[in-house]
Amino acid sequence: MFSNNNELSILTWNVSGIMSSAAYLSDILLEGKIDVCGLSEHWLTTSNLFFLDSISSDYDYFGKCDSSNHRKGGVALMWNKRLSNFIVPMHRSANF
C-alpha cells in the first residue's frame, strides 16, 4: 500500500507561491514516490484553491487560505489517493 517496504514518504515545502512551482512539485511527487506532502505559503485564495487539483491527478488535498487579503500564506496537505481511505480532513471554523 505505501511506498517501499511499508514506509511512508513525506515531503514538506515552504513553496512561496504554488502557481509558479506546480510543474516542479508534480515531478517531485512522481519521482520521489511521495505519499504525503505538506505545503506552506501556497499563496492561493479561497477562489483558486482548486488549483491544487491540477498538480497531479493521483493526489487529493485539503487546504486553508490566508484570510487577511494579503494573498500570502496558506497551508495545504496533499496525499496520494491510494491513502484516501485512511485520511479524514478535519474541517474547522473559518478562523482556523
Side-chain angles (χ1 to χ4, degrees):
M1 175 185 74
F2 298 108
S3 44
N4 306 324
N5 302 320
N6 291 329
E7 296 174 353
L8 187 64
S9 177
I10 299 174
L11 168 72
T12 62
W13 187 17
N14 184 331
V15 70
S16 298
I18 190 61
M19 287 193 171
S20 63
S21 305
Y24 180 69
L25 179 58
S26 178
D27 290 345
I28 289 174
L29 293 173
L30 178 63
E31 293 171 16
K33 299 179 183 172
I34 305 298
D35 297 308
V36 178
C37 176
L39 299 173
S40 58
E41 294 193 32
H42 57 59
W43 297 0
L44 298 173
T45 63
T46 303
S47 63
N48 65 7
L49 189 62
F50 70 90
F51 179 79
L52 295 174
D53 280 328
S54 69
I55 294 172
S56 174
S57 61
D58 293 332
Y59 286 79
D60 282 329
Y61 70 90
F62 179 77
K64 294 298 273 184
C65 301
D66 181 2
S67 61
S68 69
N69 293 330
H70 293 122
R71 294 182 43 170
K72 301 270 184 175
V75 295
L77 281 177
M78 299 179 70
W79 59 89
N80 192 291
K81 286 183 177 179
R82 71 179 182 282
L83 301 175
S84 288
N85 289 335
F86 305 101
I87 297 174
V88 179
M90 294 176 57
H91 298 277
R92 301 217 177 189
S93 70
N95 294 329
F96 175 66

